[in-house]
Amino acid sequence: TPELQPFFAGTYFPPVRRHNLPAFRDVLSSIARAWQERRAEILTISSQVQEQLQAQAKWDPGDMAFDLAALESAAAKLIESHDAAHGGWGHAPKFPQPMALEFLLQRYLRGDVRALQPAQQTLQAMALGGMYDVVGGGFARYSTDERWLVPHFEKMLPDQALLAQVYLHAWQVTGQPFYRRIVCETLAFVEREMTGPEGGFYSSLDADSEGVEGRFYVWTVDKLQAVLQTDYPLFQAAYGVSAPGNWEGRTVLQRALDDASLAARFDLSPDLVAEALAACHTRLLAARAGRARPGTDDKILTGWNGLMLTAFAEAAAAMDEPAYLSVAARSAEFLLTALRPGGKLRRAWRAGKASSEVFLEDYASLVTGLLALYQADFNPRWFTSALELAEEMIAHFADGSGGFYDTSVDGEPLLIRPKDMQDNATPSGNALAAEALLRLAAFTGREDFRTRAESAIKMALPMAVRYPTAFARWLGAAGLALNEVNQVAIIGDLSDPATQALLAAAREAYRPDFVLAASGLPLQPGAPHLLHDRPMQDGHPTAYVCQGFVCRSPLTMVEELRQALQPR
């Protein structure tokens, strides 16, 4: 109605009538006629619809206990509903569910030994199948079948970010080089094909080129033979390539034999097999570069960029890789300038122009990314920016009854101020906000941050336990709230090898319940409160391991720090 009250809704109407759907022109004509002839009825309906929408928008936390038993129940459901034949959850189309995989890895580290097998099976199946671009790195949006063979070939930025993170953590948990390779190839793809000259990350690559979906990515036997020549037999066996192909007469590359099997068949060592296949991928990538490329959506979204910033920063710290750190720092610099003109954060940027709107996920994702970057290089600028943005997030988005709205208090007036709690292809802004505030509380000791985070988690927890694949980021945030967080402060010249050795020990494992701060003395302005009043011991770089800002005796030896960080 002119007062913006809804009385009719639909999802899609085609240009002409088909499949029992009315044409859009017919819908418009019917609505116009109804408004002229049945206005009183419409006004009554619109009032009822508005009341129903407002009732549905409210979240009732219920009376579920906020304890570890809830997480155990959610993990059990994930494990039981896992596809034991192919990995993942559900049927075609099958989505990668990186947040559910993260939660299972976290549960394994917290003592649930059942959680590792389904996580590993899914991670391996996705990376060996058509979902993963074995030639150029990076993941497609989803698999059109339940076997991870034929993808929807679109590549989206948040998928690269979330999957790079979970494969990174899988490598840290298991030590398997395969997972590390997937991380490195995915980040290389993002840097090569989805990074703008200013340092921001593009949103997506189209599924099609020259009007045909997947044309850029699939192969024929003739083309593979022409590019690989004498290496073709090895490659053919590795990927089970056949003349008919496995999709519409062409081949989506999917691994058929592992390195050990190939080594036995071709009388080579597994290392030589891996090297030969890597060389094949390089040659195929060069050949593919001559094809017509899929279109690039080159807008830069703050929320998605925050996720990618996190992935690069975490990889930089875990792998001690300066190149990743450089990409992450450049990205953060861009986001804090181009997407924060006049000190006000914005949602999107393209061709030198920032949008006017901003949403909760933009704030929460960027705060998360900046905290990851601070823990990679310990520049207090990233920490102070995260803290400022968190304060703005609370001021503009907080709901007095718990959690956060998706739109700002000074945003465009809407019929209902949305508050989407469910994780979709990207984490819920509310879940990210709760997680960010919990980490900030661990750095600062701010109890108000923790209280806000726990209030939001309690609202979402009943649905998260009931539908864990749809609320998996919430489950991770709940684990962070319910488990004791190790707060590690390291004091010492950051260029001193002894300080670096302590940092390496702190970073050598995936620790979901963990924050790390470091600095030389005197502390720089803006250093986290966790670092305050932590003297060096006898002039040696010193580590403090704390929980709730209550610290054990200071440590100067690497092995002592390792022992202190072991799960109890």
Side-chain angles (χ1 to χ4, degrees), residues 66-79:
F66 184 49
D67 57 23
L68 291 172
L71 302 187
E72 292 169 5
S73 175
K77 286 186 178 179
L78 278 177
I79 294 166

Side-chain angles (χ1 to χ4, degrees), residues 165-330:
Q165 276 184 271
V166 74
Y167 278 89
L168 176 71
H169 298 154
W171 168 64
Q172 290 179 288
V173 169
T174 67
Q176 293 186 19
F178 172 73
Y179 297 133
R180 189 184 197 278
R181 176 171 64 80
I182 300 301
V183 176
C184 294
E185 291 175 355
T186 300
L187 296 182
F189 155 70
V190 171
E191 187 175 2
R192 182 181 67 246
E193 300 187 37
M194 296 190 75
T195 304
E198 303 86 0
F201 303 113
Y202 297 148
S203 293
S204 66
L205 301 183
D206 289 348
D208 59 284
S209 55
E210 301 179 295
V212 179
E213 181 170 355
R215 172 172 284 186
F216 185 73
Y217 299 102
V218 297
W219 300 89
T220 63
V221 167
D222 290 346
K223 187 62 177 178
L224 289 171
Q225 289 175 330
V227 174
L228 300 178
Q229 299 178 7
T230 58
D231 287 325
Y232 175 74
L234 176 69
F235 190 87
Q236 184 277 330
Y239 288 97
V241 179
S242 64
N246 56 17
W247 181 63
E248 299 183 357
R250 295 175 180 264
T251 295
V252 178
L253 294 176
Q254 183 180 43
R255 194 66 182 265
L257 292 179
D258 60 24
D259 288 357
S261 300
L262 289 167
R265 178 180 294 191
F266 289 89
D267 194 23
L268 297 169
S269 72
D271 288 344
L272 284 177
V273 167
E275 290 175 13
L277 290 177
C280 289
H281 297 157
T282 300
R283 287 152 64 188
L284 291 172
L285 181 62
R288 198 173 75 179
R291 299 178 180 179
R293 287 184 52 76
T296 300
D297 181 350
D298 62 356
K299 69 176 176 291
I300 292 169
L301 300 178
T302 300
W304 292 7
N305 270 246
L307 298 176
M308 201 70 240
L309 167 59
T310 302
F312 270 103
E314 287 197 3
M319 298 181 181
D320 191 22
E321 179 49 71
Y324 295 157
L325 185 58
S326 176
V327 172
R330 190 161 168 258

Side-chain angles (χ1 to χ4, degrees), residues 414-436:
L414 300 170
L415 176 67
I416 294 171
R417 198 173 171 195
K419 186 178 182 180
D420 189 3
M421 305 286 277
Q422 182 173 326
D423 297 317
N424 294 295
T426 57
S428 157
N430 265 274
L432 281 173
E435 183 182 305

